[in-house]
């Protein structure tokens, strides 16, 4: 049946919804890209203006542009944000207000996954955060009496009428509405907000017109949110090289987002495209030969002949790069295709068609969105978007097929810290503050233990900078865990690989020490011995003493000289001048966080500010060629100090 209610004006649509549902709005909206910001903002404004109304929003990953601080940060970011997101981009106003603790009393926002670090200083966000596994969100939403679901969709008209694609977010919508029906609950009003640039993906993501009660198709739509491509440093490249040796040809791959994932993808491409050089770099890094030993039976050192199959809650740019390089190419099929193959006496791998990538939601660059649209047009069904219950777990009627699809699975995720006993800290701090969320990490770790040949691989940098010094990210213990020690599996740092599965506590501690930064080895070793978890006569091998940044620079020098480890491995959204400014601004930010750095900045302010070679373009980009005020002159001198540093 066709939709009865259609709108082209967002304000009129919001008024219609408010009149239809009354003063109490209980809204579910997709995580990430699938949120219709304009409509949510209109409903939020109606609630702000009328204190007799209330609004409760259940969602995750509210994508707002960075809000730069005044000074050099604003001078750099504001022109970039204007160029990258476009003048018409609309932020979710509730997220901006929540970040500064300014939500009104008649509005509550509950998220199960926060943009990393964005809400550490928001009391309302911390109080209203809901800690959940991704696969439990739909179940728990059923109990919240949701009366409105809003979602960004792609629209298509054809011989069979109008259809919509849930596109970037079939993840929770399909599961939630199904569970509402099973529970006998009243179905919420479902609103489709059409965006012309959203890729139309078929399969499970495609729904008929009557799936929605109301369509909003604005005359104009703001640009889709797109992630800027960020730089990758040498420690991250080293980590990616180690991790890339754990991937088995013909296996299954799940990867997250961020610099560590970009480094892993770049290393997998190097393994495929220049295997000799990749092996030599790995050998130079792998002083204790632990990675090579594990690769012999856990992963591999050869290029990919069969290729990989992707099954990831999040589809991101890395999968696009792997498919273009013919690494992501192993196909899988649905139950019907397998039944037909079995009846014909054929192996599944002989069945034509199928998909090489299954996901629950996507988020990335505009290049990714264009690739998804092109892939659907040229190879329909090659990318299978579906409910998170089908991607993040094995339970249900898809279990047998999923176990076939995900053979030799390698589920790569990142964490902030790990303990010597194998617990991981990924989402929060020991004082209870939430950095991001559990999301699907626990799902994939648990699934790796259920799948034959499956492994969970947690990636983390061995150290982090804190107030002018460094701290180890590998601890004896920590007051919060995301992954408990009984699910310990594989950890990777820039210094190697620790395989903890099935190992005793003593063996786990030794393995984790082997991937620590050498500057923290003695203290960690002593602490483990003091708790009688490490043999008293254990001696740290000499090879581990070389786990320092200087070793990484030396080992990766040949690849750097050949230009194979660029700061931006997949291109940059920053101009060349901006790329020169980034390290200078990062150094200034780091220096201002501790007294020694501030003292150095003070000395820099006292030096003459004459323009040195190559600084002119950078000063012009920052609007500091001709400083007018005293603040301008101070900012100019600081920037010059950063550029020269």
């Amino acid at each position: 049946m066709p939709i009865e209610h259609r709108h082209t004006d967002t304000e009129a649509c919001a008024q219609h919804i408010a009149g239809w549902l009354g003063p109490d709005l209980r809204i579910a909206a997709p995580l990430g890209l699938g949120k219709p910001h304009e409509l949510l903002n209109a409903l939020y404004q109606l609630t702000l203006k009328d204190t007799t109304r209330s609004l409760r929003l259940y969602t995750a990953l509210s994508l707002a542009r960075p809000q730069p601080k005044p000074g050099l940060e604003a001078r750099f970011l504001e022109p970039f944000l204007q160029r990258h997101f476009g003048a018409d981009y609309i932020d979710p106003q509730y997220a901006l207000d929540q970040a500064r603790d300014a939500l009104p009393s008649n509005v509550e926002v509950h998220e199960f996954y926060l943009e990393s670090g964005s809400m550490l200083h928001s009391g309302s966000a911390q109080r209203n955060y809901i800690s959940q596994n991704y696969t439990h969100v739909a179940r728990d939403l059923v109990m919240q009496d949701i009366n409105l679901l809003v979602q960004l969709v792609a629209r298509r008209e054809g011989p069979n009428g109008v259809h919509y694609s849930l596109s970037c977010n079939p993840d929770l919508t399909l599961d939630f509405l199904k569970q509402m029906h099973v529970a006998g609950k009243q179905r919420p009003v479902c609103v489709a907000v059409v965006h012309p640039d959203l890729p139309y993906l078929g399969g499970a993501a495609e729904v008929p017109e009557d799936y929605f009660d109301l369509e909003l198709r604005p005359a104009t739509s703001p640009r889709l949110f797109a992630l800027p491509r960020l730089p990758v440093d040498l420690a991250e490249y080293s980590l990616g090289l180690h991790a890339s040796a754990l991937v088995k040809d013909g296996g299954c791959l799940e990867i997250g987002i961020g610099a560590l994932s970009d480094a892993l993808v770049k290393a997998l491409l190097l393994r495929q495209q220049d295997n000799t050089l990749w092996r030599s770099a790995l050998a130079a890094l792998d002083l204790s030969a632990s990675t090579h030993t594990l690769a012999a039976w856990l992963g591999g050192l050869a290029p990919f002949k069969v290729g990989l199959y992707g099954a990831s809650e999040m589809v991101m740019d890395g999968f696009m790069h792997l498919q273009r390089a013919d690494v992501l190419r192993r196909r899988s099929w649905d139950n019907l295709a397998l039944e037909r193959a079995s009846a014909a006496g054929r192996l599944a791998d002989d069945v034509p068609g199928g998909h090489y990538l299954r996901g629950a939601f996507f988020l990335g660059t505009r290049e990714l969105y264009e690739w998804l649209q092109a892939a659907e047009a040229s190879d329909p069904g090659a990318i299978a978007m579906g409910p998170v219950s089908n991607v993040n777990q094995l339970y249900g009627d898809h279990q047998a097929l999923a176990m076939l699809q995900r053979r030799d699975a390698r589920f790569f995720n990142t964490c902030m810290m790990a303990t010597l006993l194998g617990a991981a800290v990924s989402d929060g701090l020991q004082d209870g503050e939430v950095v991001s969320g559990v999301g699907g990490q626990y799902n994939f770790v648990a699934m790796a233990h259920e799948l034959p040949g499956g492994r969970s691989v947690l990636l983390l940098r061995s150290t982090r900078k804190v107030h002018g010094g460094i701290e180890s990210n590998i601890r004896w213990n920590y007051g919060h865990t995301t992954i408990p020690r009984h699910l310990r599996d594989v950890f990777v740092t820039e210094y190697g690989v620790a395989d903890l599965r099935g190992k005793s506590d003593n063996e786990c501690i030794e393995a984790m020490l082997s991937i620590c930064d050498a500057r923290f080895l003695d203290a960690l070793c002593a602490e483990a011995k003091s708790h009688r978890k490490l043999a008293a006569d254990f001696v740290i091998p000499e090879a581990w003493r070389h786990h320092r940044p200087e070793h990484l620079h030396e080992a990766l020098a040949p690849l750097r000289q050949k230009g194979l480890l660029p700061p931006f491995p997949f291109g940059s959204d920053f101009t060349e001048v901006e790329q020169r400014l980034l390290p200078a601004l990062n150094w200034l930010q780091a220096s201002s966080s501790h007294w020694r750095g501030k003292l150095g900045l003070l000395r820099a302010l006292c030096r003459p500010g004459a323009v040195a070679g190559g600084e002119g373009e950078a000063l012009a980009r920052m609007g500091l060629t001709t400083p007018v005020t005293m603040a301008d002159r101070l900012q100019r001198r600081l920037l010059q100090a950063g550029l020269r540093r």
Side-chain angles (χ1 to χ4, degrees):
M1 292 177 61
I3 286 179
E4 293 184 15
H5 307 287
R6 299 184 188 278
H7 288 276
T8 57
D9 181 82
T10 301
E11 302 295 330
C13 182
Q15 292 284 356
H16 182 173
I17 292 168
W20 187 352
L21 294 176
D24 181 21
L25 292 180
R26 299 179 300 279
I27 308 172
L31 73 130
L33 189 61
K35 270 187 282 295
H37 291 178
E38 282 184 292
L39 180 57
L40 287 171
N41 283 354
L43 294 169
Y44 179 57
Q45 290 301 320
L46 287 177
T47 311
L48 287 179
K49 293 173 184 176
D50 184 352
T51 56
T52 66
R53 302 189 63 85
S54 67
L55 185 155
R56 277 184 287 162
L57 174 63
Y58 296 86
T59 188
L61 197 59
S62 295
L63 298 171
R65 291 170 296 183
Q67 303 296 305
K69 298 175 184 176
L72 290 174
E73 185 176 315
R75 286 179 180 275
F76 179 81
L77 275 180
E78 284 173 355
F80 171 77
L81 295 174
Q82 181 85 356
R83 183 180 76 239
H84 182 76
F85 290 99
D88 62 344
Y89 184 78
I90 296 172
D91 289 306
Q93 188 60 45
Y94 70 83
L96 301 182
D97 289 350
Q98 188 174 45
R100 55 190 184 89
D101 253 343
L103 283 179
S105 59
N106 59 338
V107 174
E108 289 182 8
V109 178
H110 298 273
E111 299 196 61
F112 71 88
Y113 196 96
L114 305 171
E115 187 177 349
S116 185
S118 65
M119 296 292 176
L120 280 172
H121 305 293
S122 169
S124 66
Q126 293 294 326
R127 290 189 298 274
N128 291 323
Y129 165 77
I130 301 175
S131 185
Q132 298 166 299
N133 280 343
Y134 199 171
T135 50
H136 296 159
V137 174
R139 177 202 68 190
D140 295 347
L141 272 179
V142 172
M143 300 184 292
Q144 301 296 344
D145 295 324
I146 301 297
N147 59 11
L148 176 64
L149 184 148
V150 296
Q151 174 143 4
L152 218 59
V153 301
R155 185 181 190 273
R156 177 177 289 174
E157 293 187 37
N160 298 322
V162 173
H163 281 75
Y164 298 106
S165 171
L166 302 181
S167 187
C168 55
N169 284 97
D171 50 341
L172 292 174
T173 301
L174 295 170
D175 283 336
F176 168 56
L177 293 180
K178 180 180 178 181
Q179 293 202 32
M180 287 286 282
H181 176 73
V182 170
K185 294 269 191 174
Q186 182 177 347
R187 192 177 189 268
V189 170
C190 297
V191 181
V193 182
V194 178
H195 197 295
D197 299 330
L198 203 60
Y200 194 101
L201 299 175
E206 185 176 58
V207 296
E209 184 179 18
D210 61 5
Y211 197 79
F212 291 95
D213 304 294
L214 187 152
E215 178 193 86
L216 170 60
R217 188 155 40 136
T220 59
S221 298
R223 242 190 251 190
L224 290 171
F225 186 95
L227 293 169
R229 289 167 286 197
L230 298 177
V232 176
D233 65 23
L234 277 188
E236 290 157 346
Y237 270 126
S238 175
L239 197 151
L241 285 162
H242 285 293
S244 65
L246 304 178
V247 179
K248 197 166 186 176
D249 191 17
C252 172
L253 183 67
E254 185 258 343
I255 44 179
I257 195 168
L260 294 182
S261 297
D262 286 347
L264 167 61
V265 170
K266 182 66 175 178
L268 287 170
L269 295 176
L270 189 61
R271 172 178 164 180
Q272 180 75 356
Q273 296 166 345
D274 197 335
N275 191 257
T276 301
L277 196 59
W278 173 80
R279 287 192 189 213
S280 65
L282 194 61
L285 287 170
D286 192 21
L287 293 175
S288 58
S290 61
T291 303
H292 275 71
T293 301
L294 286 171
W297 66 278
L298 190 59
L301 297 174
F304 300 98
K305 294 182 179 179
V306 177
L308 303 177
Y309 168 76
S312 183
E313 69 176 31
M314 179 176 180
V315 172
M316 40 73 81
D317 286 58
F319 288 107
M320 170 181 69
H321 298 303
L322 291 171
Q323 188 273 334
R324 286 173 171 172
D326 205 31
V327 173
L328 188 72
R329 66 173 183 270
R330 178 169 74 80
R331 303 255 179 172
S332 189
W333 296 264
D334 58 23
N335 283 311
L336 181 60
L338 289 175
E339 288 171 8
R340 288 174 177 170
S342 178
R346 300 169 66 186
L347 296 173
D349 289 347
D350 295 330
V351 181
H355 63 277
Y356 51 74
L357 177 58
R358 178 177 294 281
F361 78 99
F362 64 74
L363 177 64
T365 64
R366 291 190 182 86
E367 185 182 3
L368 173 70
Y369 307 154
E370 292 166 2
W371 173 75
L372 288 166
Q373 186 73 58
E376 178 67 16
S378 63
D379 193 357
I383 299 165
M385 301 296 294
V388 72
S389 61
N390 186 276
V391 178
N392 284 31
Q393 63 185 13
L394 297 173
Y395 316 117
D397 58 6
H398 70 288
Q399 180 172 352
L401 177 59
M403 294 183 79
L404 288 172
Q405 291 171 337
R406 302 172 199 187
R407 62 179 183 256
D408 295 318
R410 299 293 177 266
F411 299 136
F412 290 96
N413 286 281
T414 60
C415 60
M416 299 186 297
M417 289 176 277
T419 71
L420 287 179
L421 292 170
V425 181
S426 307
D427 67 310
L429 306 177
Q430 60 187 356
D431 62 4
E433 283 192 297
V434 182
V435 176
S436 53
V438 178
Q441 184 171 117
Y442 186 96
N443 290 140
F444 279 99
V445 172
M447 183 164 43
H449 284 274
E450 300 298 325
L451 283 168
R455 302 304 297 263
S456 160
V457 186
L458 294 180
L459 314 175
L460 76 156
R461 293 190 61 147
S462 66
T463 62
R464 68 176 181 274
K465 294 180 180 178
V466 180
H467 304 304
I470 67 164
E471 290 183 358
S472 175
N473 283 331
I474 297 176
R475 308 289 192 92
W476 164 246
N477 200 14
Y478 192 72
H480 170 78
T481 58
T482 312
I483 306 301
R485 61 191 271 202
H486 73 271
L487 289 178
R488 57 196 182 194
D489 202 345
V490 178
F491 285 90
V492 182
T493 73
E494 63 268 37
Y495 297 116
V497 181
D499 180 12
L500 311 185
R501 183 180 285 194
K503 302 290 180 64
S504 68
D505 282 356
N506 183 85
E507 291 170 322
C508 286
I509 292 169
E510 289 188 18
M512 292 300 288
L513 288 172
S514 77
I515 62 172
C516 285
D517 186 291
R519 290 166 286 185
F520 301 95
L521 272 173
D522 290 311
L524 287 168
C525 183
E527 190 157 15
K529 287 181 178 180
S530 73
H531 293 286
R532 296 178 297 174
K533 283 290 187 176
L534 185 64
D537 60 354
F538 174 78
V539 177
I540 296 170
E542 187 59 32
W544 301 359
R545 301 283 185 189
H546 295 279
H547 289 169
R548 295 173 177 270
E550 305 85 67
H551 166 64
L552 302 183
H553 282 261
E554 182 182 345
L556 296 179
L559 269 70
R560 293 179 68 197
Q561 291 163 5
K562 292 179 180 290
L564 294 174
L565 302 179
F568 293 88
F570 302 113
S572 176
D573 300 294
F574 298 102
T575 65
E576 289 186 10
V577 174
E578 288 168 343
Q579 289 179 47
R580 291 203 299 273
L581 281 164
L582 275 172
L585 294 172
N586 287 337
W587 177 77
L588 288 170
Q589 184 181 47
S591 298
S592 64
S593 67
H594 54 95
W595 70 268
R596 288 189 185 87
K598 289 176 181 177
L599 186 61
L601 294 178
L602 184 61
R603 286 197 293 266
L605 288 174
C606 299
R607 297 189 188 111
V611 178
E615 293 178 0
E617 285 183 319
L619 292 171
R621 164 60 180 80
M622 297 288 282
L624 291 171
T625 301
T626 309
V628 177
T629 66
M630 176 62 72
D632 291 346
R633 288 192 285 274
L634 288 173
Q635 288 177 31
R636 173 188 167 114
R637 195 163 290 186
L638 282 171
L639 182 61
Q640 287 178 286
L643 289 167
R644 293 167 187 178
R645 177 71 171 85

